Amino acid sequence: AQSVAQPEDQVNVAEGNPLTVKCTYSVSGNPYLFWYVQYPNRGLQFLLKYITGDNLVKGSYGFEAEFNKSQTSFHLKKPSALVSDSALYFCAVRERATDKLIFGTGTRLQVFP
Amino acid sequence: DTGVSQDPRHKITKRGQNVTFRCDPISEHNRLYWYRQTLGQGPEFLTYFQNEAQLEKSRLLSDRFSAERPKGSFSTLEIQRTEQGDSAMYLCASSYTSTSTGELFFGEGSRLTVL
């Protein structure tokens, strides 16, 4: 069965510093991987995806993610964090037959001024 | 707005009552998904439709839950005899199968509170 793990419940970072939110995956075959962000009482917003090709994927709001096949990881990164980046971040893997997404438990990012 | 819309955004009900949520997907999308999200957890898959056909149901979906997509457009999720454990955010998402590597587009969610 396909799954993703987000080992950190919360990540704290100072504004202006780089941030990393970790995700590891377990799939058979080549993975389709996604990051979504959720603000309080809102739905999920798509940030970026990895399907194939370049291991460094760029997405919305200055976020990027690095796909590492040997470490089965897909960590979300941003060079310089903003207070407005504070939100809940979800990593997900897509099941190919149904296109449904299987989500991790989420990581709360707190950016302090 | 051409995104996924859900109604109502918030529903408060008493235990034992029935509730129904509606989802209007992006118009050209043929797949529609329902997820449930409880506080502090990631979204959990409930069911999905391709056009009007319900192709998969999670074991999370008890007999009190039913979902329909009668004309392959909007969908409803009904919960009968609600229980306090049903309190959650119910998320709807849609996608288009020809873009098989595309993302799911989510609505804002319908929050259910069962008293």
Side-chain angles (χ1 to χ4, degrees):
Chain A
Q2 302 187 96
S3 65
V4 292
Q6 294 182 244
E8 303 155 317
D9 290 336
Q10 181 153 330
V11 169
N12 299 317
V13 65
E15 188 174 33
N17 283 1
L19 68 88
T20 299
V21 182
K22 295 180 180 178
C23 172
T24 58
Y25 65 88
S26 174
V27 302
S28 55
N30 294 323
Y32 291 171
L33 296 162
F34 297 77
W35 276 101
Y36 281 79
V37 61
Q38 187 176 36
Y39 297 98
N41 298 312
R42 304 294 296 275
L44 282 80
Q45 296 179 29
F46 169 76
L47 278 179
L48 49 79
K49 65 184 177 185
Y50 173 81
I51 303 300
T52 187
D54 196 350
N55 288 344
L56 186 63
V57 178
K58 293 189 182 298
S60 306
Y61 312 120
F63 283 93
E64 57 190 27
E66 185 172 9
F67 172 70
N68 188 317
K69 189 171 184 178
S70 63
Q71 296 184 3
T72 62
S73 67
F74 188 56
H75 299 335
L76 181 70
K77 300 181 179 185
K78 188 173 183 181
S80 179
L82 299 173
V83 172
S84 57
D85 292 331
S86 299
L88 199 52
Y89 290 81
F90 291 98
C91 181
V93 62
R94 184 148 125 180
E95 192 178 271
R96 294 199 177 196
T98 63
D99 288 350
K100 75 183 184 190
L101 293 179
I102 299 166
F103 287 89
T105 51
T107 298
R108 183 167 301 283
L109 174 66
Q110 194 73 42
V111 181
F112 295 95
Chain B
D1 183 28
T2 57
V4 178
S5 63
Q6 294 187 243
D7 184 70
R9 292 288 313 278
H10 197 173
K11 178 73 175 178
I12 301 172
T13 191
K14 293 182 179 179
R15 188 176 54 186
Q17 299 295 304
N18 299 344
V19 296
T20 300
F21 300 113
R22 176 181 170 124
C23 172
D24 287 89
I26 293 171
S27 58
E28 63 268 26
H29 285 183
N30 58 349
R31 283 191 171 175
L32 186 148
Y33 305 79
W34 285 99
Y35 283 80
R36 181 172 67 188
Q37 184 180 20
T38 53
L39 199 62
Q41 298 297 316
E44 298 172 298
F45 169 79
L46 292 179
T47 188
Y48 93 99
F49 294 82
Q50 180 157 314
N51 300 314
E52 65 275 8
Q54 188 173 19
L55 298 187
E56 185 176 344
K57 292 171 62 174
S58 164
R59 282 172 286 182
L60 292 174
L61 218 62
S62 76
D63 292 344
R64 297 184 297 103
F65 288 70
S66 62
E68 294 183 340
R69 194 183 183 197
K71 297 183 179 178
S73 57
F74 74 92
S75 175
T76 57
L77 177 68
E78 181 183 17
I79 308 173
Q80 296 182 326
R81 306 181 302 282
T82 52
E83 301 173 356
Q84 288 185 326
D86 298 331
S87 295
M89 175 80 90
Y90 291 86
L91 296 168
C92 177
S94 68
S95 70
Y96 187 49
T97 50
S98 76
T99 56
S100 61
T101 60
E103 64 271 25
L104 301 190
F105 293 82
F106 283 84
E108 297 287 317
S110 293
R111 181 170 295 283
L112 174 64
T113 302
V114 181
L115 302 176

